Amino acid sequence: MKSNDKYISITGFLFLVMTSVFISCQEKSEKGLTPWETGAFESHRYRNLFAEIGYTQEEIDAKLNNILYNLFEGPEKIYFEVGDSMAYISDIKNHDVRTEGMSYGLMIAVQLNRKEMFDRLWRWGSKYMQHHEGPMEGYFAWSCKTDGTRNAQGPASDGELYYVTALIFAANRWGNDTGIHYLKEAQYILDCSMSKDGTDKVTGLIDMEHKLITFVPHGWGATFTDPSYHVPAFYEVWARWADDGRAGLWRECAEKSRAYLHTAIHPVTGLNPDYSHYDGSPFDTKRIIGKEFRFDSWRVPMNIALDYSWSCADKEWQQAYGHKIQDFLYSQGLETFADQYNIDGTMVADTLGAGGYKALRHSLGLVASSAAVSLVCSHPESVEFMHHFWNSKHVPYEDGYFDAYYDGLLQLFAFMHLSGNYKIIFPAE
């Protein structure tokens, strides 16, 4: 064979390979992907959907590292170290530190095996935010100034939900003899919560009549719940490794939480209210936040994707849900859907503002979460949601508004889900 013939032969072979890859990717885009039928509690396996739709591992790793850099090191970072042993995560636009962000930071740190970051965040939160005595003992003040001064004394239940789960994972990953006994800290939060008897209107994290998480375990806030606080798979983690003698209760909470979501989510649009009664009906607070789909609600698709990925315990309903919410948002325009709606899909009468800005947006946080739910989907639109998310930039909106904190954290969580990097951390042995 002449050298130029050999070159033509190799070129032809490469052309055939690339054509085959293109056709394969095109077929996947046209047909959608097939959700897995077994959760990671059983399989110990996680999908990398970005790889499934054609991105290389090098591209995926580079984009993940870029998101991490922006959040924790770059000029718009939300993570700040204090002295040689502490750190906090700030909601920059609101100039405060929240248990939401701090507990998210713990989860990110343990997922990515960043022990120093985890320990720094835990020490700051324990020192400035956690109550160590009184009726609220064990709980965390939900908002503080960046110097540790409390803006409020009361907790928000989603913070404790993530704190406990992240601490259990830390115990599983690093053990409990490296300076912080992570498991004891998780048990302390749970034990304190379960001991609340209504003194000074302080209640447990869980409403024991309904076995559902409270919005706030105090007073009026304990009379309703928030759909975005429902992460049933976290209770499965508690049942397995909290070692607090309540495994049966936590499994029941997981079951009740899944059943609750069936009632809280609109059967046609897949949208849910920010707040609801324990029976799932929207809670009309007579304020701008309550019965509509707004900022809190963005997290629900991602939480359902997490439960599917880990437990796969409610797969038929969750698959139907994923299709409904993506179908609705797709009908609004994949690159233009808004970030606030009435749960029937009509436009809200008033717009909730943030950081001094007030506008409907095509927000990165919802773009991220609506892509994450592709883990449960089989229709072609899910592939488009993932490509749209991949190509979305975390930059200021047209009016100058920029949310480094909430948009950024949801972007990271969704990317971790879709790249197979949000995992159950089993005990080392």
Side-chain angles (χ1 to χ4, degrees):
M1 181 182 291
K2 296 180 181 179
S3 60
N4 62 331
D5 290 337
K6 182 177 181 181
Y7 174 78
I8 292 170
S9 177
I10 293 173
T11 303
F13 172 74
L14 291 174
F15 174 77
L16 288 173
V17 170
M18 294 303 294
T19 301
S20 176
V21 170
F22 173 77
I23 291 172
S24 176
C25 291
Q26 188 178 45
E27 286 175 348
K28 286 180 179 179
S29 179
E30 291 173 351
K31 296 180 180 178
L33 304 175
T34 303
W36 287 3
E37 295 294 313
T38 305
F41 279 118
E42 180 180 346
S43 70
H44 294 225
R45 296 172 61 240
Y46 305 86
R47 291 181 75 188
N48 184 341
L49 264 70
F50 284 132
E52 290 184 36
I53 64 173
Y55 296 103
T56 68
Q57 193 59 49
E58 183 178 11
E59 290 173 320
I60 295 166
D61 292 342
K63 188 170 281 286
L64 175 58
N65 287 333
N66 181 252
I67 296 171
L68 289 167
Y69 172 80
N70 290 338
L71 281 174
F72 296 104
E73 300 179 51
E76 302 291 346
K77 69 179 182 180
I78 62 173
Y79 172 80
F80 302 91
E81 294 187 350
V82 179
D84 61 0
S85 65
M86 293 191 295
Y88 63 84
I89 285 176
S90 176
D91 181 353
I92 303 295
K93 66 183 180 297
N94 289 306
H95 314 291
D96 67 350
V97 179
R98 303 181 172 203
T99 53
E100 169 192 71
M102 291 292 283
S103 62
Y104 284 7
L106 292 177
M107 181 60 75
I108 292 163
V110 71
Q111 287 288 331
L112 301 179
N113 200 21
R114 298 189 176 189
K115 186 177 185 301
E116 181 185 355
M117 179 190 294
F118 187 102
D119 291 354
R120 281 178 173 271
L121 290 169
W122 171 253
R123 293 188 191 104
W124 200 98
S126 178
K127 178 176 181 178
Y128 293 115
M129 308 184 93
Q130 191 173 31
H131 293 273
H132 295 284
E133 59 184 10
M136 291 189 184
E137 182 182 358
Y139 288 158
F140 295 76
W142 79 270
S143 172
C144 289
K145 294 181 172 62
T146 57
D147 65 1
T149 305
R150 291 175 182 169
N151 293 319
Q153 295 294 334
S157 299
D158 62 328
E160 277 72 4
L161 180 77
Y162 271 82
Y163 269 117
V164 170
T165 311
L167 285 163
I168 292 171
F169 280 166
N172 287 354
R173 166 152 269 166
W174 300 312
N176 296 296
D177 56 358
T178 60
I180 299 172
H181 199 300
Y182 305 111
L183 185 58
K184 282 187 177 179
E185 297 291 358
Q187 291 169 338
Y188 176 63
I189 298 169
L190 292 174
D191 290 344
C192 286
S193 171
M194 295 302 294
S195 71
K196 306 306 182 191
D197 60 4
T199 300
D200 288 352
K201 299 183 180 180
V202 181
T203 69
L205 288 175
I206 306 298
D207 177 273
M208 292 302 291
E209 178 184 353
H210 302 93
K211 305 298 190 299
L212 298 174
I213 192 168
T214 59
F215 174 63
V216 172
H218 180 266
W220 176 73
T223 65
F224 62 97
T225 187
D226 181 324
S228 74
Y229 289 10
H230 289 258
V231 191
F234 281 8
Y235 300 127
E236 304 275 7
V237 171
W238 299 6
R240 284 166 170 81
W241 301 303
D243 195 24
D244 66 343
R246 304 182 184 97
L249 171 62
W250 304 137
R251 290 192 178 95
E252 183 180 4
C253 287
E255 293 173 0
K256 295 287 189 180
S257 192
R258 293 184 185 109
Y260 155 82
L261 288 168
H262 291 205
T263 64
I265 290 170
H266 193 279
V268 176
T269 64
L271 301 176
N272 58 270
D274 270 5
Y275 305 155
S276 86
H277 298 283
Y278 289 118
D279 65 3
S281 59
F283 183 29
D284 186 357
T285 62
K286 308 302 180 184
R287 304 172 184 175
I288 193 168
I289 304 177
K291 59 186 176 63
E292 295 84 9
F293 179 95
R294 301 190 193 270
F295 303 153
D296 271 19
S297 298
W298 300 354
R299 297 177 289 203
V300 172
M302 188 161 56
N303 291 343
I304 289 175
L306 182 152
D307 189 44
Y308 189 96
S309 174
W310 288 8
S311 297
C312 219
D314 193 16
K315 56 190 175 186
E316 291 183 5
W317 181 86
Q318 290 173 341
Q319 288 171 5
Y321 161 79
H323 291 157
K324 285 176 184 177
I325 191 165
Q326 284 195 342
D327 283 344
F328 170 75
L329 294 174
Y330 197 84
S331 75
Q332 303 296 299
L334 179 62
E335 298 185 1
T336 57
F337 60 76
D339 56 9
Q340 300 177 50
Y341 291 96
N342 296 315
I343 64 171
D344 65 359
T346 57
M347 192 49 61
V348 292
D350 196 6
T351 304
L352 177 63
Y357 293 79
K358 188 174 182 179
L360 289 174
R361 311 177 189 283
H362 185 62
S363 289
L364 177 61
L366 183 55
V367 169
S369 186
S370 63
V373 82
S374 296
L375 279 164
V376 315
C377 294
S378 58
H379 60 185
E381 290 92 334
S382 66
V383 178
E384 295 186 56
F385 273 88
M386 286 185 282
H387 284 308
H388 177 50
F389 172 47
W390 179 278
N391 293 316
S392 295
K393 308 296 183 184
H394 191 190
V395 296
Y397 297 95
E398 290 182 0
D399 59 358
Y401 173 69
F402 180 69
D403 185 2
Y405 168 81
Y406 195 54
D407 274 346
L409 287 170
L410 295 189
Q411 179 192 31
L412 175 58
F413 275 150
F415 199 92
M416 290 169 65
H417 282 301
L418 291 169
S419 59
N421 285 300
Y422 201 126
K423 302 180 179 181
I424 303 162
I425 299 176
F426 291 83
E429 61 270 18

